[in-house]
Amino acid sequence: MNQRATILGSGLIGRSWAITFSRAGWQVAMWDREDGAAEASRAILLTLLEDLAAEDLLNGQSAAEVGARVRVTKTLAEALEGTSWVQENTPEIVGIKREVWAELDALAPPDAVCASSTSGIVPSAFTEELPGRGRCLVAHPINPPYLIPAVELVPAPWTTPETMAKAEEVMRAIGQSPIVMTRELDGFVMNRLQGALLEEAFRLVADGYCSVEDVDVGLREGLALRWSFIGPFETIDLNAPGGVRDYVTRYGGLYERLYKSMQRRADWTGSVLDTVEGQRRERVPKEGLADRQRWRDRRLMALSRHKRKAAQDFGN
């Protein structure tokens, strides 16, 4: 497989994918339907590369070297010429995706893998009528993928095993950590896990058991410290002397009892939203959100650097 990637849609997610591929040595073509959008996005990308270089997150390369691999094209056909990977990042609207995918399927080389970054639409919804539907899938990242490596690979019913194997190989080669699903499911894996946690978080606040900050502390200063390097299954495997079966024997009854009280939704749009928003705005005023987002990204860079070094030191 040649190392040429095409990024369709140059917004936040598309730009992040361009960084991810170019950092790994791939030549990247960016295209956007909106005039000037891809050029503006590339300018932001170059600034982000400087930040990543300062944190030593470009695999020993300079920002200029990585940025030189990213070019903007005027037409979709030009962007797709000779590509081996297509990453689509258009709005989360099925009609738009069907239109874009019909065009890219007709123009992309027949051996190119075609992936969508969609976080909420199963691939069968926009690939069923495509002649090349066997090479199509979802590759849903946690944004930004150049700092958070997990990516969900979701097949449609007709996606070929060869496509899935190739997609997994590519993602690992560019530094990502693929979650390889065996079939499509609404919400995929990560949104379903996050959704379960958010449901309980809203319930706890709506029922007055604790504050918004208490919930965040429970994750930030508690569970997430372990989850940043081991997942929930490994956590319970290590939290009982005899491993995961011992844990289930000891605590399964507790979770069974809890489950019964978790089968009720809090109305996210009701009065609890006023509580959540009010408590969050006390901690970070609305006009301070952009600064806080930049702070978050710097912390993610530091964590990414730490985890990379730990993996090099300990081989895991």
Side-chain angles (χ1 to χ4, degrees), residues 176-237:
Q176 303 308 104
S177 299
I179 300 166
V180 184
M181 295 186 66
T182 58
R183 59 186 186 276
E184 65 181 23
L185 175 69
D186 191 25
F188 315 146
V189 171
M190 289 187 284
N191 276 331
R192 294 179 77 92
L193 290 172
Q194 181 170 249
L197 194 151
L198 282 172
E199 285 289 342
E200 186 58 31
F202 271 94
R203 271 193 300 269
L204 288 168
V205 174
D207 294 346
Y209 288 109
C210 63
S211 70
V212 170
E213 179 63 10
D214 289 325
V215 171
D216 280 358
V217 167
L219 272 292
R220 185 179 70 235
E221 310 296 339
L223 296 175
L225 293 179
R226 290 186 301 216
W227 289 352
S228 67
F229 57 92
I230 59 175
F233 283 122
E234 185 171 2
T235 294
I236 66 172
D237 196 30

Side-chain angles (χ1 to χ4, degrees), residues 66-285:
V66 177
R69 299 191 189 107
V70 181
R71 64 187 178 92
V72 172
T73 66
K74 294 295 184 183
T75 67
L76 178 59
E78 182 186 355
L80 292 168
E81 184 178 357
T83 195
S84 55
W85 185 281
V86 182
Q87 190 72 35
E88 170 268 315
N89 311 277
T90 59
E92 295 282 282
I93 300 171
V94 173
I96 291 178
K97 290 197 181 295
R98 286 175 178 165
E99 179 183 344
V100 170
W101 276 75
E103 196 172 359
L104 76 84
D105 184 57
L107 293 172
D111 59 346
V113 174
C114 299
S116 174
S117 294
T118 179
S119 59
I121 305 174
V122 293
S124 62
F126 53 87
T127 64
E128 183 173 8
E129 304 299 326
L130 301 179
R133 66 184 190 172
R135 44 90 174 261
C136 302
L137 75 154
V138 162
H140 169 235
I142 293 289
N143 204 50
Y146 57 81
L147 294 177
I148 304 177
V151 56
E152 298 172 306
L153 302 181
V154 188
W158 37 79
T159 306
T160 67
E162 292 77 15
T163 295
M164 291 299 291
K166 187 185 295 185
E168 180 180 3
E169 180 184 356
V170 169
M171 288 296 102
R172 293 193 188 281
I174 65 172
Q176 303 308 104
S177 299
I179 300 166
V180 184
M181 295 186 66
T182 58
R183 59 186 186 276
E184 65 181 23
L185 175 69
D186 191 25
F188 315 146
V189 171
M190 289 187 284
N191 276 331
R192 294 179 77 92
L193 290 172
Q194 181 170 249
L197 194 151
L198 282 172
E199 285 289 342
E200 186 58 31
F202 271 94
R203 271 193 300 269
L204 288 168
V205 174
D207 294 346
Y209 288 109
C210 63
S211 70
V212 170
E213 179 63 10
D214 289 325
V215 171
D216 280 358
V217 167
L219 272 292
R220 185 179 70 235
E221 310 296 339
L223 296 175
L225 293 179
R226 290 186 301 216
W227 289 352
S228 67
F229 57 92
I230 59 175
F233 283 122
E234 185 171 2
T235 294
I236 66 172
D237 196 30
L238 300 179
N239 274 6
V244 64
R245 186 174 296 274
D246 185 17
Y247 185 95
V248 170
T249 300
R250 291 168 183 259
Y251 304 111
L254 165 64
Y255 289 105
E256 184 177 359
R257 293 198 308 274
L258 295 178
Y259 181 78
K260 296 174 183 178
S261 65
M262 293 176 172
Q263 304 313 298
R264 172 184 58 81
R265 286 212 72 199
D267 181 3
W268 291 22
T269 63
S271 60
V272 68
L273 180 56
D274 295 331
T275 301
V276 171
E277 183 179 43
Q279 292 183 22
R280 283 301 307 152
R281 293 293 71 81
E282 287 178 6
R283 296 188 65 83
V284 181

Side-chain angles (χ1 to χ4, degrees), residues 40-61:
S41 184
R42 185 177 183 276
I44 297 171
L45 177 150
L46 295 176
T47 299
L48 290 170
L49 289 176
E50 294 289 350
D51 293 340
L52 291 169
E55 295 287 346
D56 193 26
L57 291 174
L58 292 182
N59 301 333
Q61 306 166 95

Side-chain angles (χ1 to χ4, degrees), residues 290-302:
D291 286 340
R292 188 66 172 176
Q293 288 164 352
R294 285 189 287 271
W295 170 87
R296 175 204 60 195
D297 289 347
R298 289 195 300 271
R299 294 299 87 216
L300 279 173
M301 289 182 191

